[in-house]
Each structure stands twice: as structure tokens, then as C-alpha cells.
Amino acid sequence: MTDMEFQLSAIIKCSGSLTGISSQEQTDFVQSCNASLLKKGAPSGGGAEIVRWNIAGEKIELGLVSDRYVRVHDALLRLKNELAKFLGKHRIGLRGAEIEDYQILMDWDEDWQLKKLPFVKQINQEGGRLKLSLDVDEFALANRIPDRIIKLLEDKKEAAKWKGKSEHWELLFESEKKPYYFDKDPTEEMAKRGWIRHAAGRGQFIYGPQITKIFRAFERILFEEIFTPLGYEEMIFPKFVTWDVWKRSGHAKGIYPEAYYVCTPKTRDPEYWEEVMDYYKVTNEVPLDMIMERIENVGGMCYAQCPPSWVFWQGKTMPDDILPIKVFDRSGTSHRYESGGLHGIERLDEFHRVEIVWMGTKEQVIEHSKQLQAKYRLIFEAILDIEWREAWVTPWFMAQEGKAGLSELKEVGTTDYEAVLPYSGKLLEFQNVSVNGNKYPKGFSVKLQSGTELWSGCSGVGLERWAAVFLAQKGLDQDKWPVKFRDVVGELPEVFRFL
Amino acid sequence: MTDMEFQLSAIIKCSGSLTGISSQEQTDFVQSCNASLLKKGAPSGGGAEIVRWNIAGEKIELGLVSDRYVRVHDALLRLKNELAKFLGKHRIGLRGAEIEDYQILMDWDEDWQLKKLPFVKQINQEGGRLKLSLDVDEFALANRIPDRIIKLLEDKKEAAKWKGKSEHWELLFESEKKPYYFDKDPTEEMAKRGWIRHAAGRGQFIYGPQITKIFRAFERILFEEIFTPLGYEEMIFPKFVTWDVWKRSGHAKGIYPEAYYVCTPKTRDPEYWEEVMDYYKVTNEVPLDMIMERIENVGGMCYAQCPPSWVFWQGKTMPDDILPIKVFDRSGTSHRYESGGLHGIERLDEFHRVEIVWMGTKEQVIEHSKQLQAKYRLIFEAILDIEWREAWVTPWFMAQEGKAGLSELKEVGTTDYEAVLPYSGKLLEFQNVSVNGNKYPKGFSVKLQSGTELWSGCSGVGLERWAAVFLAQKGLDQDKWPVKFRDVVGELPEVFRFL
């Protein structure tokens, strides 16, 4: 983004009339600012400049232009400090600045149209140039809103480049072909047998005793093969997630279309809610509009499981000798607003996941991700006997932030596990192992005593996804299952019969 | 509520002019309706009456009055059917009715003021009489809105009577006095030791390895003492709850001030959300107002745990020989918007509960609640060795619905378990056993093949509440704990240290 230009018109209000200051004094001040103050830090020939300076009673009408160095909002700040000193000599104070106009002009050869931008009242995009008229006040300038708008434009260019391109995908491992014992959709078959029933919500099931026992067998395998031998301890992570957590984890950048939002009452005073209750009692309909007026959004339901756990370590410094840290959580549900239509248990709005988190130095975290991968291979090969493959892919947060450099991708990234569902021939991602680099420790300010950078990794075991793959390949009849897994599950309970 | 009077003015529109119908014919019709049609089903002297009948072109201006029998909206419906037949003979059809005025008058000697009622445009309350002017159309009358307003008034009278009065409370059992080994607040002490840390949300904690291991020990006790010997099987209940479920469970009547509301995106189209994402990226603030415009309320987070499970059985008929049914769920969190201030783990917005549900005939359900109570006593006495008491109380849904008759209370009701927290001297309800009668089977239309009424019960074991009581009485040092419980817990893991 070269040839960037910034233009600012402002009126600076003072505490007294400025007419007593001589023209010469004013000219000297403006020239001195233009010569050094507004050029400091910029390459030769660059920086900002005062191009208009008129005094009218207690006001200064000011025009500033700049290139990308010492942008006009920075220039205004420098100028106000200098001006305060200058006017101080005349016993006049500064009252504040009113921003009349703020324009950004730059090269822009994207072939897609910008529609709307925050704090921008007019967008003019033609002939390879972009002109933005901003609607900003001093507070917005102090918050560096113009810089952030330019960062946003860079993000949008990057996202447009990515659009349509597939993410990085590199085969790491492929199991042998395995015999399939089933060619039906396991969700439909389970529903027929009364193992599951679609719940009242979208993409939500109620799990009966049989499939619950299978889920718990998966967990027992995790304990026996991973948690006990590798020294994991259980924790309980929160399941309601505040915006503050998602700001630190980065989810606040893009989670919106897929989130299940959580709102709390503006007050729990029963009188405030009486009208709602009365309306319900009289109509038997829940008055959703009346509710929306009485609640406020505070966050969402668990989406990625590990982010809210980081508050446990937030702002703390840990001694290096307790590393690597290995914990897991299986204390509740995750929720995603998935695309429409019925998908069965392989794509759900409400699902159950065991979340595995480890922390350490970069070397420890990478080393442990390899240990985990070896354990998973053992489970899929020797216990579940499924056909699967592993691929090295770009993790969501890197793609979204435009960090797709291959050099970083060698260490930070995600291994996806995919398996064929014979009934549809489609591949399903059924779990992942991610090395997240210093992303979370940085976001939540967690440090090591030695000053060494703390890294972390996470791995999500979706119980429904494991079941979807295993049952699709092996079927629902236990006599077709590998003996080792049958032994872990035990007998499937028969509790219900319906007429 | 005696001396009830209903007054209705309506204009009935017809398909043709009525001026050709003779006065005599009209008078005969009105007299005949007043004599029988509008009196049918009412005690002698009661019922409705046509008090005004004017024909003007294609319209009939109608006045109806009634007492509590054959209320004017029912009378209007009867009359319209009869009128259709009458006018049919003159080849004239009915077009519809416009309700000009609807008034309810009744005795009302409550000393509190009614402020606002749904579908009521004016409330006049004086001299022991209440006059309501309704704002209703034909559709509202067909939905029996006036009847429901009267039911609502009865509910409000009942609630006013209850207000301030304590609920039913009857001591059932009291343990022996036990020695306390601790006089501090366990939440504070755990926070000091790094066992827990307050999470980012209101009334929400993150549980470290030590307290998580204690929670899991509580679960293991439930398995060994209750689930395995009594033949329980595990299920997985939904954790997002739709309004439809809460309508059937009765929670939609009054849950509002305490609910954690769940909203979903109006669409997951990323373009619809781009403005929100851009705003966040430019300001680093989540634009809550923009979000509220883009989401809709669909229900709430799990509050009482068992209601959403009933969809598994909804509309089904079960053979009697599979009874009693015994299942439990421990698959996620419960959320309540509790009153403000910090309370520690004994009163939380987000908590963890094992929910126990059983079903059977009335006798089976009552019998099983006694078995459960015996098991709990064994656990509290022989394993946890705590001091507690049990009381028979009015369950929330009966209190709320004004069903407080003592005869019903003998069978349907809740046993609350309470224990002293030595650090504050306060009593804490730490679990319950409830016999819910036919409430849930009726609400979700679950039937038995024999036609016998299906009953159910539920019991919630709050892991934080058990911990709050046990740790408050016994302290955090394992050497003061009863040996049996120490054996179940095992060694407490030490994973973290902070500088």
C-alpha cells in the first residue's frame, strides 16, 4: 500500500483570543514545526506538514497533510503539545480540537467493492485509488482508529487473496485399508434402534444408554492410553465464555456467524419480569421481543473449549521446573451454529469433546504433540481398527490472521485426522492435534520465570465424531467390532422399549 | 371470585343487506337465543343474553352480557353459528365480527394494586370491584384470552397470599452432631492454595486438579453406592434448552429473572456479520448493540437439567414391564443468574450437577425415592461423616402454581438436604430428592401401555454444594478427613506453582 496520503482539517479552540500574537511569531512557529517536529522519525522527504493555519478570535483553523509516516492524527497530537508550550508563553490555554474532515487516499487495485467501513462516512473507489472520508473525533484519533482502518483494509486484501484458495494440506500418514462392515448412516440406524433421539434444538441429540456407554468407553481409552501413562490431570474449564476471553483468544475477530450467544437479564427483579410472565400465562406463547428488550449479551456458549481455561493462568508467572503441564477437561458441551439441514451426529450444534491442553517450552510442546500423535495412532490402529489418515493443515487462527508463511507452518499448525464414512463416501475430520505456539500464553499474559517463551498445544477429541467414524465403518453390531474395543465397552444396556 | 360480569359490544358484518328481514323474524331469533342457546350449560338464571341488537345495512350491532357461565366470548361463538344458519335461509353469509368493547367486572378485595395486564387497556380497581377493559379481537377471543386473564388474576391472588409466608418445612431426619475441623470459608482457602480461580464470568470458577479430583470422587461414590447397586444407566441430556421444552416443563411460567438466555444468529452468512467483525477489528470493542440486532432468542442454558431429557420419551408409550426406569446425566453445566455479590462455590451462576431421574408407577416412584434417601444417608453418615438434616418442603413448581394442598404434599414433594457451614453458621441446601408426580409424563405426553399413570422423580447432586459442605466442616487437609473418603479420593495432584 504505497502512495498513502492523509489529510486533516481541524479547529483548535483556545482559552483566549489569539489576535495579540504577531504574524511573525506564528509563521516562525509553523515553519519550525514543519521543519522538524512533524518530520521526526520519518524518512527524508516524508512526514506531516501544516498546510493551513488561520487565526480567528479564539480559534485556530488548521490543515495537515502527511504520507504514511507521522500520520496526520499523530501530527495533530505532537502539534497540540508544542502549541500548548507556545501559547503558554502568552498565557493562553488549549481547550480541545474539533475534527472537521479526515481523508485517507491510497493506491487500491482490488477488483472487489468496499461497501461499508467503521468510522468511514464515504468510500470512493475508482481508477486504482481509494479515498475514505472519516467520521472521527479526537477520542477516535487518540485510539488510533485511522491506523486500525488501514490494518483492516490489509486484512481484507489478504482475505480476498485467500478466498477460494484451499488451505494448506499435506498428507502426513495414512493407515492401511480396512474392511468396512456397514454401509448405512449410523445416526439413522441409532435413531431406529432407540439409541438416540433428536432433541428439541437444532443439531442436538439426546443420547440413550447404549451410545452413552460407547462414549464413556472412548473416554476410558483416553485414560488408559494417554492420561495415565503421559501424566495428565483433570481440570474443569468454564462453559459460558465471556467476550473478554474471546478477545484474548482471538475468537472475537470472527466467531460471530457460528456462535451461540449468551445473554443475561438486565436485572433479576421479579417485577421487571412480571409483564413477560403475565403475557406467557395469558397466551401460552413466550414473548421473545419483550425478552430481547430485557436481556444483554455477555458472551457465548463454549465453542473451542480451551480458551476460558486460560484465565486460570492469566497474568501468572510459573517456574520452569513444573513444565511440561498436561491437563484435560470433559466437563460439558460445545455449541456451534452450524450450516442448515440435518447432518446426523457428524455435524452438530451441540457436541461433547474431551479437550487436551499441554504447555511448555517450544521444544517440549512440539515433542509432546508427537507423543500424542503416536498414542492416537495406537488407539486407532490397535483398539478401534479404523481406516484413517493424518494431514498437516493451516490452523484457523493463522488463516484468519493472514499468517500463512511456510516457515512458521513447520512448527505451529494443526494435524487433522480424517476418515471415510462408507455410507456417503465422504471424509470426516474427527479430531486434531494443534501446536498453537505462543498464541495463548501471549493473549493471556502467562510467563515463565526464566523468561523463555511459553508455548502450548491442544487436541480435541469429539466423542460424536469418534462414534460417527467407528460406527460408520464397523456398524452397530458388537460382534463385528474389534475384540479389544468390545472388551472396553462391555455389554450394551437395554433400558427402554417403546410401542 | 363471585359476582363476575362480562360485557361485549361487537359489530357483525354480513355479505348482504339485512333490511329485508322482518322485525318479527329478528325478534323471534333473539328471543330464542336468549331463551335457550345462550343459557345452555349454565345453572338456572345464569348464562349470557343479547341486550342490544340493531341492524344497519349489512351490519348487526350487538350487545352481549353474561355472568361467569357462557361467558360473552363463548356466547358470541354460539351466536355466530346460529346466526349463520338463520341468515343462510336469506342467502346472506357472515363476514366476521369486530369487537368494539369487552369488559370484565368482578369483586376484588385485594389491597394491592394491579398495574398492567396483557390485552387489558384499562384497569379500574376501587370499592371492592375490579373493572377491566380489554383490547381483544376475534382471534384473541377464540384463544380464550379472557378466561386466561381471569386465571392469571387467580394466580396473582394466590401468589400475594403466599408472599412473605414461608414454604412448607417439616423436619424428617437429623444426623448426630459431628466435630468440625475447620472454621474458614473453603472457597477463599482453595483460592489461596491455587485449587480454584474465579473465572471471567459472574459466579463462575475454574477448577484445578485437586478439587476436580474431589468432585470425581463424589461421582465415584454415587456409582458405587447408588448407580451400580440400584441398576442405573447413564444417558446424555441436552444442555441448551429450547422454549418448547420449558413450556412443557412449566419453567416458561417463571424462569425469566434467573435464566441464562441463549440466542442464535439470524443468519450465518458471513457478509451479514462483516460489519460487526470490522467494528471489532477497528475498535477492539465487541459491538454489543449490533450483535443484539442480529441474534434471536431461542431458549436458555441448562437450568434444571432433567426437563430437556423428556424429549427422549415425548409422545411415546412404554410397556409396564420395563419399569422402574433409572437413569442419570453428568454431561455438562447448569446456569442460573443468581443474585449479586460474591458467594463462593456454595452459590454459583455456573455449576456442576449429577442429575438422577427415575420413572414408574406412583408406588414405584415413591418407593424408589425412599431407597435413594437411604443410600444418601449411608453416604453422608459412613463415607463423608458430615452433620446434616433432611426436611420435607413444597417443591418450586407446586408453590408457583398455587398447589399447596397438604393432601397432595404427602406424596408429591421435595426432600431438601441442609448442612451447617461452620465458617458462617448458615445452613446450605446441598441436594434434594423430589417426587414430581405425573408432572413431566403429562407435560411431555409419555404413557404406559396399561393406562396406569406414569410418575417420575429426580434428584440433583450438586458437586460444588457437596464440596462446600464437606470442606467447610472437615477442612482442606486430608489427614482430618474420614478414612473411607480419603481412600476414594486418593492423592491430591500438585500440578501448578505460581511465583
Side-chain angles (χ1 to χ4, degrees), chain A residues 115-116 118-119 145 148-149 152 155-156 194-201 204-209 212 215-216 233-236 238-240 242-243 245 247 252-254 256-265 268 270-271 273-286 288 291-292 295 297 301 308-309 311-314 316-319 321-322 325 327 330-333 335 337-339 350 352 449 493 495-499, chain B residues 115-116 118-119 145 148-149 152 155-156 194-201 204-209 212 215-216 233-236 238-240 242-243 245 247 252-254 256-265 268 270-271 273-286 288 291-292 295 297 301 308-309 311-314 316-319 321-322 325 327 330-333 335 337-339 350 352 449 493 495-499:
Chain A
K115 285 174 203 149
K116 211 174 175 181
F119 297 93
I145 295 294
R148 287 175 172 168
I149 290 173
L152 177 64
D155 283 358
K156 283 183 183 289
W195 288 17
I196 57 172
R197 189 169 180 190
H198 204 288
Q204 185 188 48
F205 285 90
I206 308 167
Y207 300 91
T212 301
F215 286 173
R216 296 296 173 242
E233 293 294 345
E234 186 170 1
M235 286 181 64
I236 293 178
K239 290 294 171 280
F240 153 62
T242 63
W243 281 117
V245 165
K247 283 162 82 169
K253 284 182 192 153
Y256 307 95
E258 278 197 347
Y260 265 75
Y261 294 83
V262 171
C263 301
T264 50
R268 72 194 289 284
E271 269 198 32
W273 289 96
E274 191 168 354
E275 199 180 338
V276 173
M277 295 184 210
D278 287 353
Y279 185 92
Y280 174 72
K281 285 176 188 165
V282 168
T283 62
N284 276 350
E285 292 301 326
V286 177
L288 300 177
I291 287 174
M292 288 302 280
I295 60 178
N297 175 232
M301 295 175 91
S309 74
V311 174
F312 195 82
W313 305 286
Q314 189 174 324
K316 302 272 191 188
T317 301
M318 300 191 287
D321 63 5
I322 64 170
I325 286 165
V327 294
R330 47 163 182 158
S331 69
T333 47
H335 302 257
Y337 193 72
E338 288 287 354
S339 49
E350 175 170 327
H352 301 80
Q449 189 172 16
V495 178
F496 305 108
R497 287 198 324 275
F498 302 110
L499 300 183
Chain B
K115 285 174 203 151
K116 211 172 175 182
F119 297 94
I145 294 296
R148 288 176 173 167
I149 290 173
L152 176 66
D155 284 358
K156 283 181 184 292
W195 288 18
I196 56 171
R197 188 170 180 190
H198 204 289
Q204 186 190 47
F205 284 91
I206 308 167
Y207 300 91
T212 302
F215 286 173
R216 296 297 172 240
E233 294 293 344
E234 186 171 2
M235 285 182 64
I236 293 177
K239 291 292 169 282
F240 153 63
T242 63
W243 281 116
V245 165
K247 282 160 83 170
K253 284 183 193 151
Y256 307 95
E258 277 198 346
Y260 265 76
Y261 294 83
V262 172
C263 301
T264 51
R268 71 193 291 282
E271 269 198 33
W273 288 96
E274 193 169 352
E275 200 181 337
V276 174
M277 296 185 211
D278 288 353
Y279 186 91
Y280 174 72
K281 286 176 188 166
V282 168
T283 62
N284 276 349
E285 290 303 326
V286 177
L288 300 177
I291 288 174
M292 288 302 281
I295 60 177
N297 176 231
M301 295 175 92
S309 75
V311 174
F312 195 82
W313 307 285
Q314 188 174 325
K316 302 271 189 190
T317 301
M318 299 191 287
D321 63 6
I322 64 169
I325 286 165
V327 294
R330 47 158 182 163
S331 69
T333 47
H335 302 258
Y337 193 72
E338 288 287 354
S339 49
E350 175 170 328
H352 301 80
Q449 189 172 18
V495 178
F496 304 109
R497 290 201 318 278
F498 302 110
L499 299 185

Side-chain angles (χ1 to χ4, degrees), chain B residues 35-274:
Chain B
S36 63
L37 180 78
L38 303 183
K39 301 288 185 290
K40 215 179 292 166
S44 170
E49 189 160 344
I50 303 171
V51 292
R52 203 168 64 255
W53 173 281
N54 298 320
I55 277 182
E58 302 186 345
K59 293 176 183 170
I60 304 169
E61 293 166 12
L62 191 70
L64 283 169
V65 297
S66 77
D67 56 12
R68 62 193 315 150
Y69 309 102
V70 196
R71 298 173 184 181
V72 287
H73 52 279
D74 286 330
L76 181 66
L77 187 69
R78 291 189 190 181
L79 187 61
K80 277 183 69 185
N81 288 334
E82 197 65 17
L83 196 58
K85 283 186 245 167
F86 172 67
L87 295 179
K89 285 184 267 174
H90 298 274
R91 301 184 173 271
I92 297 172
L94 284 189
R95 284 280 189 255
E98 191 181 303
I99 311 304
E100 292 195 297
D101 191 44
Y102 192 116
Q103 306 234 353
I104 303 175
L105 297 96
M106 66 175 86
D107 285 350
W108 187 260
D109 47 17
E110 301 294 308
D111 57 0
W112 44 276
Q113 204 65 32
L114 280 164
K115 285 174 203 151
K116 211 172 175 182
L117 289 169
F119 297 94
V120 174
K121 55 187 176 195
Q122 208 184 319
I123 300 173
N124 191 316
Q125 173 182 354
E126 56 184 15
R129 293 284 286 173
L130 179 67
K131 189 169 122 186
L132 304 179
S133 296
L134 271 57
D135 183 12
V136 282
D137 56 14
E138 259 201 298
F139 182 77
L141 296 188
N143 280 332
R144 320 190 64 79
I145 294 296
D147 298 340
R148 288 176 173 167
I149 290 173
I150 286 165
K151 172 74 171 62
L152 176 66
L153 290 172
E154 281 162 10
D155 284 358
K156 283 181 184 292
K157 276 173 89 168
E158 194 65 33
K161 230 191 282 173
W162 271 80
K163 216 171 190 173
K165 278 192 199 172
S166 54
E167 291 186 8
H168 185 80
W169 191 94
E170 184 189 338
L171 186 67
L172 290 183
F173 177 87
E174 198 161 19
S175 76
E176 281 175 42
K177 295 277 165 206
K178 298 284 166 66
Y180 304 147
Y181 301 122
F182 200 58
D183 61 2
K184 299 200 183 71
D185 176 352
T187 303
E188 278 176 24
E189 187 64 21
M190 284 196 286
K192 226 180 272 172
R193 295 189 186 197
W195 288 18
I196 56 171
R197 188 170 180 190
H198 204 289
R202 189 179 190 277
Q204 186 190 47
F205 284 91
I206 308 167
Y207 300 91
Q210 300 93 336
I211 183 69
T212 302
K213 200 164 184 191
I214 293 170
F215 286 173
R216 296 297 172 240
F218 291 150
E219 288 188 354
R220 209 148 49 241
I221 292 170
L222 290 176
F223 272 88
E224 283 164 19
E225 303 299 329
I226 295 180
F227 299 152
T228 307
L230 298 186
Y232 271 84
E233 294 293 344
E234 186 171 2
M235 285 182 64
I236 293 177
F237 299 169
K239 291 292 169 282
F240 153 63
V241 186
T242 63
W243 281 116
D244 182 58
V245 165
W246 277 340
K247 282 160 83 170
R248 290 174 181 277
S249 72
H251 287 85
K253 284 183 193 151
I255 198 177
Y256 307 95
E258 277 198 346
Y260 265 76
Y261 294 83
V262 172
C263 301
T264 51
K266 287 183 184 167
T267 161
R268 71 193 291 282
D269 177 5
E271 269 198 33
Y272 182 73
W273 288 96
E274 193 169 352

Side-chain angles (χ1 to χ4, degrees), chain A residues 156-298:
Chain A
K156 283 183 183 289
K157 276 173 90 168
E158 195 65 32
K161 231 191 278 175
W162 272 82
K163 214 172 193 172
K165 279 190 200 173
S166 55
E167 289 186 9
H168 184 81
W169 192 94
E170 184 189 338
L171 185 67
L172 289 183
F173 176 86
E174 200 163 15
S175 77
E176 281 174 42
K177 294 277 163 205
K178 298 283 167 67
Y180 304 147
Y181 300 122
F182 200 58
D183 61 2
K184 298 198 184 71
D185 176 352
T187 303
E188 279 176 23
E189 188 64 21
M190 284 195 286
K192 226 180 270 171
R193 296 189 186 196
W195 288 17
I196 57 172
R197 189 169 180 190
H198 204 288
R202 185 179 191 277
Q204 185 188 48
F205 285 90
I206 308 167
Y207 300 91
Q210 299 93 337
I211 183 69
T212 301
K213 200 163 182 192
I214 293 170
F215 286 173
R216 296 296 173 242
F218 291 150
E219 288 187 353
R220 209 148 48 241
I221 291 169
L222 290 177
F223 271 89
E224 283 163 17
E225 304 298 328
I226 295 179
F227 298 152
T228 307
L230 298 186
Y232 270 84
E233 293 294 345
E234 186 170 1
M235 286 181 64
I236 293 178
F237 299 170
K239 290 294 171 280
F240 153 62
V241 187
T242 63
W243 281 117
D244 182 57
V245 165
W246 277 340
K247 283 162 82 169
R248 290 176 181 275
S249 72
H251 286 86
K253 284 182 192 153
I255 199 176
Y256 307 95
E258 278 197 347
Y260 265 75
Y261 294 83
V262 171
C263 301
T264 50
K266 286 183 186 167
T267 160
R268 72 194 289 284
D269 176 6
E271 269 198 32
Y272 183 72
W273 289 96
E274 191 168 354
E275 199 180 338
V276 173
M277 295 184 210
D278 287 353
Y279 185 92
Y280 174 72
K281 285 176 188 165
V282 168
T283 62
N284 276 350
E285 292 301 326
V286 177
L288 300 177
D289 290 343
M290 286 165 73
I291 287 174
M292 288 302 280
E293 288 164 10
R294 285 171 174 76
I295 60 178
E296 54 197 354
N297 175 232
V298 287

